[in-house]
Amino acid sequence: MATSSAPGRVLAYLESAKNLTGSACGLAGLALTFTGLAGAYWPVVIAGLYGAGALLAPPARPRPPDFPDASSPLRTLRDDFARLRVYLDQADLPPAAADRLAELTELLDGLLAPGRVSDVLSADPEGVHTLSRAVHQDIPESVDTFLRARWWSGVSPGREPPERHLERRLELLRRETEELAAGLREAGSRRRQPHTRRPEDRGGP
């Protein structure tokens, strides 16, 4: 199995940004060689430029899942959330952002799990839309934006660290999800009230 996957890993590196950037820099070193500027050390110049280009290239990052429709029904939303969890597990996040993301995904998992809460949620189109937007758009876009900006922040220091923006975004999403969960619990409680009051009403004067 290891031998069969080796060609795939080689092909993936050949197509990676590190190899492409390093190759471009290596070609620049080759041009210096032809002009005579590299001198007798032209192999070292080419190898050094390739290595520098590979180091400066942005690191590889997981691709966010491609969701076909952001208005999926609740049963499909559960499957999409599972796909999102796979993507999030591959994302390299700093500890503070990872903790906030874990709190958010735990809330979403509780809301989407089959049961009493999801039964109330299925009757709330606005609530389903809010969770659908979080799963299909808000969370993957926030994480992918951080993964893109993290490399640029190292190239251009002095700006606000991108993890701070990610932490604030995840915190806002967590609060929004908590408000939705509280509303669903209240709606579920109101739905059960008529069943508990009916025996009391029959016992009245």
Side-chain angles (χ1 to χ4, degrees):
M1 183 176 297
T3 56
S4 61
S5 62
R9 290 196 296 268
V10 172
L11 182 60
Y13 178 77
L14 291 177
E15 297 175 345
S16 67
K18 288 185 175 294
N19 180 58
L20 294 177
T21 306
S23 297
C25 293
L27 289 176
L30 191 60
L32 293 176
T33 300
F34 287 135
T35 58
L37 296 177
Y41 299 99
W42 63 267
V44 178
V45 172
I46 294 176
L49 288 174
Y50 176 89
L55 289 175
L56 290 175
R61 66 181 189 281
R63 294 184 59 183
D66 182 19
F67 299 115
D69 185 6
S71 59
S72 303
L74 188 58
R75 61 181 180 274
T76 307
L77 187 56
R78 293 191 185 102
D79 296 334
D80 292 344
F81 179 61
R83 293 173 57 197
L84 177 64
R85 293 289 293 268
V86 174
Y87 161 70
L88 296 177
D89 289 341
Q90 298 174 1
D92 182 19
L93 302 181
D99 290 342
R100 284 175 170 78
L101 182 61
E103 294 173 357
L104 176 58
T105 53
E106 184 177 356
L107 278 171
L108 291 171
D109 190 46
L111 290 173
L112 292 173
R116 183 177 297 173
V117 176
S118 64
D119 291 342
V120 179
L121 177 62
S122 62
D124 183 3
E126 185 175 349
V128 173
H129 175 73
T130 298
L131 292 188
S132 179
R133 188 187 66 235
V135 170
H136 293 126
Q137 179 178 341
D138 293 338
I139 297 176
E141 285 186 0
S142 298
V143 172
D144 189 57
T145 299
F146 163 76
L147 295 177
R148 293 172 183 269
R150 177 175 57 181
W151 179 79
W152 287 107
S153 65
V155 178
S156 55
R159 299 181 180 179
E160 182 186 30
E163 56 266 26
R164 298 290 181 267
H165 178 76
L166 176 62
E167 292 168 14
R168 288 197 299 268
R169 182 61 177 155
L170 293 176
E171 179 64 20
L172 289 174
L173 291 173
R174 185 186 64 81
R175 292 178 183 176
E176 182 181 29
T177 307
E178 282 185 338
E179 292 176 1
L180 174 60
L184 292 174
R185 286 193 295 267
E186 183 179 352
S189 178
R190 288 197 302 266
R191 288 176 58 179
R192 292 192 299 271
Q193 284 177 0
H195 301 285
T196 57
R197 288 179 177 175
R198 196 168 296 130
E200 299 172 0
D201 295 340
R202 286 199 296 267

